[in-house]
Amino acid sequence: MSHNKLEKIKTALISVYHKDKLDAVVRLLDELGITIYSTGGTLDFITGLGIKAQSVESLTGYPSILGGRVKTLHPKVFGGILARRDNAQDTEQLSKYGIPPVDLVIVDLYPFEATVRSGAEAQAIIEKIDIGGISLIRAAAKNFADTLIVSSREQYPALIELLQSGKGATTLAMRRTFAAQAFRQSSYYDAAIFNYFNEQEKLPVFQQCFRDSMSLRYGENPHQEARFYGRLNDMLEQLHGKEISYNNLLDIDAAVALISDFSETTFAILKHNNACGCASAAHPLTAWRKALAGDPVSAFGGVIITNQPVDTESAKEINELFFEVIIAPGYSGKALELLRTKKNRIILVLKNTALPARQFRSLLHGVVQQNRDTAVEMPDDLMPVTTKKPAEKEIPDLLFANKLVKHSKSNAIVLAKDGQLLASGVGQTSRVDALKQAIVKAQTFGFSLQGAVMASDAFFPFPDCVAIAHEAGITAVVQPGGSVNDEKSISYCNEHNMAMVTTGIRHFKH
């Protein structure tokens, strides 16, 4: 069969949940003289437009039964869809049983995901598992050689253009394209249902399906192709700037995860997924200034995020820095005007910080999945293990530093004081190297570490880190604990009047 041969559409079956945008389609089908079969509310909608349509019940001889659960599941419907027009036995049986061939099927599915998101009762969710619709989609898509399947209202403009240009006829190539889109729709729908059930059943199966996607300029490097799968607009709205890149997305993801752990007014600046500056303060401008002071060199070309709307006062100073992306829950009119002065600068509104509960990534020839690290230690989680207890003013700094080290590449050490990141050592092969890196960095930018605190993402296997920290002026330490040599680090702290607390929670990040 030629891929470009036009085949005239004579009969259409329409059964949809969403009626919006359907009127233009059925008017065009009527103009083209195409016989329409329909069901229930869709039939009422079509006839309400003054367009003639026949009920599926008149074809099958059966009414809609079981509260609408069974409407189209009948040989006279599926026979017309699945019959092979070039198969003599099929066409003979159509004639014998009075089954009209169906050349076009327009169907969409019950809103299962939306019902789940609405918080509906379990039975209401079950009723939104489509049976007839998904069967029609699969049948028509399977027989794309003869039948055109339209499985979503988003396809109506393409359908209208196709019907107008072909005067009611389609080619095999066109039908195959629509069939591929239909199977995409059905697989996505089935994956959503499975994952709903698997929240309780916990079957060891990895099944994810993303219907929406966007192309990216390239991957981590210009020679790598890349695409983002998912609904980015559910979380972020882009107000200005160039196309978001793969590396931008990695930094944005890290930034959103970090800021979601802070309730205090906070600014953070990230570079290569790590915070190079971060501060919490009562006033946004103060938080910004302290965050930038942490590492004004690395901040160049970074990603900025805050959990407060950006005001004009802060925007004036932020605008002095070259950066790639800024993310905030909102912007004042003047602030937005200032920030828009650089045409490529990406300005994003963070609608929510609800990241998925599970993370996954490709690894070797498969996929690994884990629960997201959502642990955020509170004051009661800081268990003193030394004779000296942290001073009252050190407690907020220990919690602040512990949040940051959680979001830093391992091995990681964070040094902080007065709600400000003084320096961090990240991604090092030894914890000692991470600490030394942090100390040198803090000193480079003129910070005194006297009275500062230190956070480690994992336990200290030896007392060398607390010894180096003490020599630099660190007075309090937070770490998970759990090493067979914990007592050695604790003893050193006791001997040198340092406070140490453990949390029992490790925060590796690779």
Side-chain angles (χ1 to χ4, degrees):
M1 183 182 292
S2 170
H3 278 237
N4 297 315
K5 180 184 177 183
L6 286 167
E7 299 289 342
K8 180 73 174 176
I9 294 174
K10 298 176 183 176
T11 305
L13 171 64
I14 307 175
S15 180
V16 298
Y17 183 88
H18 302 96
K19 313 300 188 295
D20 51 306
K21 303 180 183 178
L22 182 63
D23 55 338
V25 174
V26 294
R27 291 185 194 281
L28 179 56
L29 295 178
D30 186 54
E31 289 173 15
L32 292 168
I34 295 171
T35 300
I36 299 174
Y37 287 92
S38 191
T39 61
T42 308
L43 179 64
D44 293 340
F45 176 82
I46 294 171
T47 56
L49 296 173
I51 295 171
K52 185 179 178 182
Q54 299 180 44
S55 69
V56 167
E57 289 86 350
S58 69
L59 172 64
T60 64
Y62 278 86
S64 172
I65 62 173
L66 306 182
R69 280 190 167 197
V70 180
K71 289 180 285 194
T72 57
L73 296 170
H74 193 281
K76 282 200 169 184
V77 174
F78 282 85
I81 294 170
L82 286 164
R84 294 157 291 189
R85 313 300 195 266
D86 60 354
N87 183 294
Q89 186 177 9
D90 284 8
T91 55
E92 181 184 334
Q93 288 181 341
L94 290 183
S95 177
K96 179 180 179 180
Y97 297 109
I99 301 173
V102 177
D103 309 307
L104 169 64
V105 174
I106 301 174
V107 62
D108 64 7
L109 302 172
Y110 291 162
F112 176 81
E113 278 191 300
T115 306
V116 172
R117 286 196 299 268
S118 73
E121 296 290 330
Q123 189 55 42
I125 292 171
I126 297 303
E127 289 304 319
K128 287 297 183 287
I129 297 176
D130 206 311
I131 303 301
I134 203 78
S135 302
L136 290 170
I137 286 175
R138 292 181 64 84
K142 175 178 180 176
N143 197 33
F144 70 89
D146 300 295
T147 306
L148 176 67
I149 173 65
V150 177
S151 55
S152 168
R153 54 187 163 164
E154 279 75 34
Q155 293 176 299
Y156 290 172
L159 172 64
I160 289 171
E161 182 180 348
L162 184 154
L163 293 175
Q164 289 176 334
S165 62
K167 298 180 180 179
T170 64
T171 67
L172 178 61
M174 294 171 183
R175 295 192 294 274
R176 194 182 195 285
T177 297
F178 274 76
Q181 294 171 341
F183 283 121
R184 180 190 71 163
Q185 180 84 353
S186 65
S187 63
Y188 179 88
Y189 195 76
D190 285 340
I193 295 170
F194 168 75
N195 286 324
Y196 167 75
F197 277 90
N198 211 36
E199 285 293 325
Q200 180 175 327
E201 301 303 326
K202 307 297 184 186
L203 299 176
V205 176
F206 178 83
Q207 187 164 337
Q208 294 289 332
C209 189
F210 295 96
R211 182 167 46 196
D212 302 299
S213 69
M214 58 184 260
S215 63
L216 304 174
R217 294 199 306 275
Y218 50 77
E220 284 185 283
N221 301 291
H223 63 279
Q224 295 172 267
E225 291 185 5
R227 178 171 284 273
F228 173 80
Y229 295 93
R231 294 190 294 262
L232 194 62
N233 288 339
D234 285 357
M235 178 170 283
L236 298 159
E237 178 185 359
Q238 184 168 356
L239 301 181
H240 181 74
K242 63 185 178 181
E243 180 184 334
I244 297 173
S245 72
Y246 181 96
N247 290 332
N248 289 153
L249 284 173
L250 293 179
D251 282 328
I252 290 168
D253 177 70
V256 172
L258 184 153
I259 208 69
S260 66
D261 282 351
F262 287 88
S263 56
E264 312 89 345
T265 298
T266 302
F267 263 97
I269 308 167
L270 285 87
K271 198 75 171 287
H272 298 294
N273 308 158
N274 294 296
C276 58
C278 186
S280 297
H283 192 277
L285 181 58
T286 303
W288 165 251
R289 287 173 175 171
K290 292 175 71 174
L292 180 60
D295 187 346
V297 174
S298 294
F300 183 86
V303 169
I304 300 168
I305 191 165
T306 180
N307 56 6
Q308 297 296 319
V310 177
D311 56 27
T312 303
E313 191 178 25
S314 300
K316 286 179 180 178
E317 296 197 14
I318 294 170
N319 196 47
E320 295 173 3
L321 176 71
F322 170 76
F323 59 90
E324 286 270 332
V325 182
I326 185 167
I327 311 161
Y331 305 84
S332 72
K334 183 62 176 176
L336 190 56
E337 183 183 333
L338 284 166
L339 295 171
R340 277 176 163 161
T341 55
K342 300 292 190 293
K343 70 175 184 177
N344 288 329
R345 180 181 286 164
I346 297 169
I347 303 175
L348 301 174
V349 172
L350 183 60
K351 299 177 183 178
N352 67 76
T353 60
L355 292 165
R358 295 186 182 89
Q359 297 172 297
F360 57 88
R361 65 193 293 181
S362 60
L363 188 151
L364 299 175
H365 64 291
V367 173
V368 289
Q369 179 177 280
Q370 67 172 356
N371 292 339
R372 183 177 294 277
D373 183 0
T374 58
V376 179
E377 287 70 45
M378 305 303 288
D380 289 347
D381 298 314
L382 304 182
M383 304 303 295
V385 293
T386 51
T387 304
K388 181 182 179 182
K389 307 298 186 286
E392 186 175 342
K393 68 175 185 178
E394 289 175 327
I395 297 295
D397 284 337
L398 288 167
L399 295 171
F400 174 88
N402 201 56
K403 289 177 183 177
L404 286 176
V405 85
K406 166 187 168 182
H407 294 282
S408 302
K409 294 287 186 181
S410 300
N411 287 309
I413 292 288
V414 164
L415 308 179
K417 185 178 180 181
D418 297 331
Q420 179 184 23
L421 170 60
L422 302 182
S424 61
V426 299
Q428 299 300 303
T429 53
S430 95
R431 201 156 301 281
V432 170
D433 286 345
L435 175 55
K436 288 180 177 178
Q437 181 191 60
I439 291 171
V440 170
K441 194 171 186 179
Q443 292 170 343
T444 299
F445 294 110
F447 289 113
S448 168
L449 295 176
Q450 295 298 319
V453 306
M454 173 174 72
S456 174
D457 61 339
F459 63 63
F460 299 114
F462 304 103
D464 44 9
C465 280
V466 290
I468 295 168
H470 171 255
E471 292 172 7
I474 304 295
T475 55
V477 179
V478 56
Q479 57 123 340
S483 169
V484 294
N485 288 326
D486 271 353
E487 195 55 45
K488 293 181 180 180
S489 294
I490 294 169
S491 294
Y492 183 94
C493 290
N494 282 332
E495 292 167 9
H496 295 85
N497 200 35
M498 295 176 71
M500 177 183 284
V501 295
T502 60
T503 64
I505 299 177
R506 191 180 72 184
H507 289 297
F508 268 165
K509 183 183 178 187
H510 292 99

